[in-house]
Amino acid sequence: MIWRVLVGTVSLLIGMLTLGYVAITEQDRMASFSTSYEARRIEAGAAIYEAQCATCHGDRGQGGRGPKLDDVTLFDGTVTGAIGWTGTVHDFIYLTVAGGRPRPSEFYASLGNANRMPTFSNSFGGPLRDDEVRSVTAFVLNWGEAYKDANGQFPQATPTPNPNAAGTDITIELPAGDAARGETLVSTAGCVACHIGAAAGVTGPAWLTAESKDGQGVAAHIEERWQAADYAGAATSTDQYVFESIVNPNGFIVPPGEGATWQAPGPSIMPGTYATSLLKQDVADIIAYLKTVP
Amino acid sequence: MSVWKFHSPFLDDVKQRGLGPALSFKVNETVERVTAGMDIEDIRSMLRGDPAPRPNPRVRPHSDGFWLHMRPTYYHNLVTGVYPSFRMGWLSTYFFVFEIITGLFLMIFYTPSPLVAYENMLNILSNVPFGRLMRDLHKLGAEMMVIVVVLHMLRTFITGSYKKPRQFTWLTGVVLLLVTLVLSFSGYLLPWDQLALWAVTIGASMAEAVQPQAVGDLLNLIIRGGPQFNEGGLLRWYLLHVLALPLVGIIFTGIHYYKVILHGHGLPPEVEPVGEDTAKRTPVDQRTYFMPDILTRELLLFSVVTVGMVFAATFFYHAPLEPHADPLVTPLHTTAPWYFLWIQGMLKIGDKFLWGVVMPGVMFGILFVLPYVEVGPSRRYGDRRVGLTFGALMVVILAVLSYMGTPRYGVPASLNVEIIAEIVPQTHPGPFRQAEWEGYRTANVSDTNPTGRVIYQAAQYDRAPTETLHHILAEMQAGVEHAQHQYEIGADDGLKDVRGLMVIENWQEGLKKVTWRVVWDPDGEGPQTAPTDDTLCPVGQIVPGEYCQTSYIDAEANYRQGP
């Protein structure tokens, strides 16, 4: 009996020590697995690249029918900045591999590559699973490693997100607005789809006086709303009120009641991405335009 | 006079005897209830090793409690040693419970969908504390359970314990054997890696062979959950694994245990008169009571085995994880799990239906009916020479069939492919990926050699500049010499004047590309390609006398740490 208790106790002690060892080393092990798995993604991506991508982009990314990929401008933000992509370089490459180019990119056409690119993700009829698209993305991104300096930075990096992007701080000083450019922008940025025409007053508040239920257009509304007693947003001027509505659509929603000409069905369905996809100048121009809407 | 009366026997007791005595009485009473019959003094006396008082309170938990009613009150002295049970039955149950506990942990982090199952594995390995340990324990426990259950059955066969009155116990045991095998097999599919997909594909293709064809097609559809293994198939194998089979296992374990209580543990065959079963007639002086002897032995076994498992899974054993399942890429050699290799071996003998379905069915059928057909009265070894010889023969046959199930037997090999597959296998890391990355030395980068390409000849492994290259090139040369040897002895798969080449290039920062080349003389008219030829693996062309494959290796891939 004594032997049984003794051996049992000693073995439990060994068990606790082993578990303690695992507990202590577990963080390092998990980190090490993540690092090595990212590296294995690159290896897998290299094999897929060789089979699927090399014929157009060159076996070492030197370009051909498709653009050159082993190029610092792709990784330091120059290309994404020129195209107007406001997300990360990784997402740009991932999206391009997955969805291809349904029509030639104007940017690359100007560099002499006016070709289209097929889709590769099997979500869009291509041959690759999502994990394979991610592997190829990791491999392509790995070309960028060679261009980094000792601090792991690109020497002439264009920061992302773009420093000229509007951002969510509505108190900043905006440049002078150009109402004519603003009128063009509300079409190209998609505003008019919900604020003017058939959907106005249904999907989003109507801008035009003629389409608004209370006989007042957006120019009048933006003047009044932020000064109303029940206003709960952060704006302290008409410009800031419009700024807030663009970059933070849920910052203030007009409560139901006498003054409301349109009621949002719950939280705003307006895209929340304008803080990064519009520049400061764009916002200033749209504000200038909205003040002139008849 | 109070309106209502407050009933508290405990407070009454405190009033009567004082707090201390009342409290200790209450504690003692609680212990007695929890143990279903033993109070503190009974437990202490038992642990001290006192002889059992009469009436013996140590048998009450067996008659009044739930857990111990499944265990006999006492054993015959002759069955408490290692022989005749070897503890295999106990260990089978132990591993069943062990698998349920570790399996529950893994279920928390698992979604049975081909879209995320593999990502779940990566998450368990990279982001769940103790995740790898649990996965390793679950896999190791599954392998151990198969071994232990099979050994338990073998032992029962050898000691003749399936004979009257334990026929039905044996039958439930065969059900539990099947449950164990299918549980282990169904768990294979869940990580959704290449190993999973192809091992289960082999299984499903056997079902497809069932005749008549309409039945085979239907079975195939049921097993795969569609024409292809996909979300439907994964979900139903998952449910089989976590719900249906454990349920059947629990029910039949209950029956199995009940029958052990009913019939007692069979004594060693040599101590009983022929044709009699005296297990339930244990003389008083031959009894070993469950409490405390058997209980402490089992607790000891429990802690030693558990610690052994944790220790092994921490330092020695890691469950494999192959690349993501891909129905379009068949690994070079797909094998069934080792405990089904014998079926794969039989498939190589002949017809898929006969050897893959009918024969295994007949073998399990024989197991099921064995105790009802083999009704010879004697359990003694000397009286059962025919049966024991037959059993031994079956073990040998299964071992040979299992060998035949491996890729070493009866698979027409293309040695040019095999030479490279030995170094960079598709199913596990292999020597190339596990070697030191820095050892793959390239030349200096120049305008004429932008990737720093170096061509190493396997034959010259002695002159390799680094230890790593020496090791890898020697491995390759061994394969090359085997192919040459096969040619010289006139085998079909031999290659004439075969040479191995390894081309290393810098491909990206921290990434090297290795092109493996095997060149030989395809038609006996002299070598086709000079070894220093720079045209490597022309894409989309098959050059007679040349086989190429590329591998990429990243500096940080670190295959030596396991999956």
Side-chain angles (χ1 to χ4, degrees), chain B residues 71-88:
Chain B
R71 311 302 311 276
T73 314
Y74 53 81
Y75 289 40
H76 196 294
N77 283 350
L78 289 168
V79 298
T80 56
V82 173
Y83 177 80
S85 75
F86 301 94
R87 305 275 186 278
M88 286 303 161

Side-chain angles (χ1 to χ4, degrees), chain B residues 340-349 401-402 404-405 409:
Chain B
F340 282 144
L341 275 179
W342 56 280
I343 299 184
Q344 204 172 354
M346 290 204 298
L347 285 172
K348 291 180 189 172
I349 297 176
L401 283 173
S402 295
M404 285 165 61
Y409 175 84

Side-chain angles (χ1 to χ4, degrees), chain B residues 6 19 43 72 108 139 180 238 253 507 562:
Chain B
F6 180 70
L19 182 63
I43 294 172
I108 297 171
K139 175 83 176 166
T180 305
Y238 172 74
T253 304
W507 210 243

